[in-house]
Amino acid sequence: AAAAAAMEVDGDDDDDDEGMRDGVEAAANGEKKDDDDDDDEGKSSQQRPKSAAVPKNPAVCLLTGKILAAHWGREGNWKSIRAHTKAISPNAGVFLLLRSTRILLVSNGLLSYYGSPYVDSHGEMDIELARGHMLYLDPERVQALVDLVREQRVADTGG
């Protein structure tokens, strides 16, 4: 319900769209979207608990800005992703996998990839950053993702 309320259309779609865009852009720059960063002021990374370290395969929740560990492969289980999604929304989660630039969609505990909001100068995705070209945030891809979440169609993607 919280995610649905956050994405609810209240006559000013631009504010909601900017919030999602801010989440994608903050993730691209390695920033957290949370505004409560006052707790960390004055603390060095050495003073933070081990659990606050950036995970090996970080995923950024584009609804809350929280950075989680993404586990994939045969031994991966995605527990933290599923648990976070369940805590913030009854039906959907949207995550940017930073090491691959893919979007991970979660719906009713099922996961699916959506592609990447980042493209190279030819407009092509570079999933897993294999080609090593400079990537740019594609406003059309971001808008398509925002529309998907706002219209609560994440389950329609196969997730």
Side-chain angles (χ1 to χ4, degrees):
M7 297 305 294
E8 186 175 299
V9 178
D10 61 320
D12 191 4
D13 295 341
D14 292 338
D15 288 344
D16 292 338
D17 296 352
E18 285 180 30
M20 181 72 130
R21 279 189 200 98
D22 290 346
V24 172
E25 290 170 0
N29 295 327
E31 303 168 2
K32 279 184 74 174
K33 188 179 155 194
D34 291 303
D35 294 331
D36 328 350
D37 291 342
D38 297 338
D39 299 334
D40 295 336
E41 278 187 31
K43 293 182 181 178
S44 73
S45 60
Q46 295 170 346
Q47 294 173 325
R48 291 186 184 162
K50 214 174 194 179
S51 62
V54 175
K56 182 178 178 183
N57 295 308
V60 178
C61 176
L62 296 181
L63 301 177
T64 66
K66 184 171 184 176
I67 297 175
L68 302 163
H71 301 285
W72 56 81
R74 287 189 294 175
E75 58 276 344
N77 56 22
W78 301 96
K79 282 184 183 177
S80 64
I81 300 286
R82 284 188 172 109
H84 180 72
T85 299
K86 188 175 181 180
I88 65 161
S89 170
N91 54 356
V94 184
F95 299 87
L96 174 64
L97 303 175
L98 294 180
R99 303 268 186 240
S100 70
T101 73
R102 283 192 222 184
I103 297 293
L104 178 71
L105 301 175
V106 183
S107 178
N108 300 316
L110 301 174
L111 299 100
S112 66
Y113 292 114
Y114 181 73
S116 174
Y118 294 94
V119 295
D120 62 16
S121 60
H122 301 287
E124 297 181 11
M125 293 185 290
D126 185 8
I127 300 296
E128 303 297 332
L129 307 172
R131 293 190 302 261
H133 293 229
M134 177 70 82
L135 299 178
Y136 305 93
L137 192 59
D138 184 338
E140 292 176 10
R141 289 177 182 264
V142 171
Q143 188 59 51
L145 182 60
V146 169
D147 292 344
L148 182 81
V149 173
R150 182 179 354 140
E151 296 168 9
Q152 298 183 7
R153 294 184 292 123
V154 171
D156 297 344
T157 63

